[in-house]
Amino acid sequence: MATLQVLVVDDEPGIRSGVVRILQNFTVGYPFMEEDFDFAVIEAGTGEEAIEVLNRRKVDVVLLDNKLPGMDGIEVLEYINKQQFDLAVMMITSYASLDLAIRATKNGAYNFMPKPFTPQELRATIENVAKHLFLKRMTRKMQVEGKQVRFQFLSVLSHELKSPLNAVEGYLKMMQEKQLGDNIDSYNTMIERSLARLKGMRNLIMDLLDLTRIESGKKERRLRETDLPAIARQAMDTMEPYAIQKNVRMTLSSKGNTTLLADADEMEIIFNNLVSNAVKYNKDNGTVTVHIEDAGKEIIIRVSDTGIGMSKEDIEKIFEDFVRIKNQKTKEITGSGLGLSILKRMVEQYNGTIAVESEPDKGSTFTVSIPRQ
Ligand code: ADP
């Protein structure tokens, strides 16, 4: 239960105590709100007193009489508007002229309530204000969070794209200036490095395309009975040249009915990411085992390696966009840091889960469970 602070500003003590009484034990709840609200009432007999309260403590709703002894209600409202307090104001007034209504609305008053009011009228009004305030705050929070996530994403992305560009540009300039002489063979290392950086960039762009397609929901899904071991085999074949270089042995096993109603391209993304990581982050002469198992209501995919492993703190981060664990062991390994975040989104589309067990220098096991539709 959250408590909204209601400031009632009225020079008539009877009205103030009436509000206290009516809002006692009153709660408001909506299905879209995580918790119900109740109300605590603070009293002010003048506009000056109200301003003093507003500057001292957090207030959520102001019930504001216009006719007050010193400064009047509309002046208090103008002050609230100028200070941009995060609250909702309800004017209470026995007569509302058009002029007052216009000035109040201009200064952001949520609504008017005629005086005298019945307990039901006050409760209905407060219920509306509470809902309005909740939605306003939620909208603002979501906008701020959305902007932050997008900003972070773009700044990391531009950095990731800029560094290979700078490298390739640097090598080209050195070649243009013929820094190593006229023999083209002298530039082989530079050319190889440039090509490797370009390949990294291409992979990053491909990953980004996957990601944006998943995010926008644009990727057309074709659900078919899909033979998962066949897809796993394809992913292993793709990694074969790299595995041979490191002398990593890959094996595949399956048990029971391992077909799943799924989009083959999406399953390919899952296997490609798991298998390529298991090879990439393996040690020379290591092994990768892929096991697919029918567990009745779900299918279990388990990819284990005997590689460099990860600490518990690392595991918590690896599913975030662009996160790569940077240490001596990963220094030479290239990647975008997007693979696992794509994988996670993909698995979630199937209402599945991913679990990771890992031990530094021993190896890692990624277990994906996907429920049958
Ligand atoms: P990347 O493109 O860097 O491989 P991923 O999102 O696929 O991006 O993985 C994020 C990070 O998680 C990697 O940079 C690596 O540090 C760690 N990681 C992923 N898979 C493994 C694994 N099988 N063994 C050890 N570390 C792994």
Side-chain angles (χ1 to χ4, degrees), residues 124 209 212 242 247 259 268 287 302 333:
L209 283 177
T212 43
Y242 194 35
N247 196 26
T259 58
E268 215 178 296
T287 58
R302 192 168 295 125
I333 306 169

Side-chain angles (χ1 to χ4, degrees), residues 273-306:
N273 276 309
L274 290 177
V275 173
S276 76
N277 281 348
V279 176
K280 257 164 59 173
Y281 299 103
N282 219 315
K283 298 182 207 147
D284 286 351
N285 312 317
T287 58
V288 171
T289 55
V290 180
H291 182 69
I292 305 166
E293 193 171 316
D294 177 19
K297 288 204 179 93
E298 56 188 3
I299 286 244
I300 315 276
I301 299 164
R302 192 168 295 125
V303 179
S304 306
D305 63 63
T306 53

Side-chain angles (χ1 to χ4, degrees), residues 273 277-278 280-281 305 308-310 318 323-325 330 334-341 364 366:
N273 276 309
N277 281 348
K280 257 164 59 173
Y281 299 103
D305 63 63
I308 59 173
M310 282 169 281
I318 54 175
V323 166
R324 309 202 65 222
I325 308 306
T330 59
T334 57
S336 66
L338 283 177
L340 287 179
S341 60
S364 313
F366 283 75

Side-chain angles (χ1 to χ4, degrees), residues 309-324:
M310 282 169 281
S311 68
K312 279 212 166 55
E313 300 83 70
D314 290 341
I315 294 177
E316 279 166 27
K317 295 183 274 183
I318 54 175
F319 291 99
E320 289 165 28
D321 295 338
F322 297 114
V323 166
R324 309 202 65 222

